[in-house]
Amino acid sequence: MRYLVVALLVMAGLGCRKPEPAPPPQARLIVRFLDRDAVLDLAAVPAEGPWRLMNAGLWEPLDIRWKLGTPSIGAAVVGRTAPDWVLLEDPAQDTHRVIMRGPGPEELASRNERMDPTERDALALLGVLWVLSWVRR
């Protein structure tokens, strides 16, 4: 009985196929905001037509510059900060929810508060020189 169970397990293991890899995206749209980017991978090159972005509850036209190649890359710049995700509408009026990539505003704020070592050393040297100037008087 054990040999039968082991044989079935071996056959089941050999019968499993590896998952097929996902096809590479045919087009990629990058929307650049002040703090992060939204990247949308598309299975096919989109049709010609206007794209729109949901901003404060209203659909606004999105000016996209497409660079043809494999994959086609489109880029748009939006002059405002964005939440963790945005809504885009393609020319076929399909809506896409895109999650933002990159560090969030909180991470950028804490990163900017820290000084790099050379700035810290220069500030320490200035502090020492300022104290020495008061000691000499």
Side-chain angles (χ1 to χ4, degrees):
M1 186 66 169
R2 285 187 195 167
Y3 294 115
L4 182 62
V5 171
V6 170
L8 285 174
L9 288 174
V10 169
M11 281 200 263
L14 294 175
C16 294
R17 289 188 285 160
K18 294 181 181 176
E20 294 186 21
Q26 295 297 316
R28 173 174 282 173
L29 174 62
I30 303 170
V31 182
R32 299 198 185 279
F33 293 90
L34 294 176
D35 57 349
R36 293 188 273 181
D37 294 343
V39 179
L40 175 64
D41 289 329
L42 300 167
V45 177
E48 291 292 323
W51 282 76
R52 298 190 310 164
L53 168 78
M54 176 70 75
N55 186 4
L58 300 173
W59 288 107
E60 295 180 354
L62 195 59
D63 184 29
I64 299 174
R65 307 280 186 224
W66 287 97
K67 178 182 176 187
L68 298 178
T70 306
S72 296
I73 297 177
V77 177
V78 178
R80 71 165 192 84
T81 58
D84 290 337
W85 56 272
V86 294
L87 287 177
L88 298 174
E89 185 180 72
D90 62 13
Q93 295 185 341
D94 292 331
T95 304
H96 306 275
R97 182 176 185 249
V98 185
I99 297 176
M100 304 297 282
R101 293 187 180 176
E106 297 84 16
E107 296 169 22
L108 289 174
S110 65
R111 186 186 310 166
N112 290 339
E113 288 175 0
R114 291 180 286 194
M115 300 174 86
D116 76 10
T118 57
E119 289 176 344
R120 189 177 48 236
D121 293 343
L123 192 58
L125 180 64
L126 275 172
V128 169
L129 291 175
W130 182 75
V131 168
L132 288 176
S133 72
W134 280 99
V135 170
R136 273 201 219 166
R137 292 182 187 179

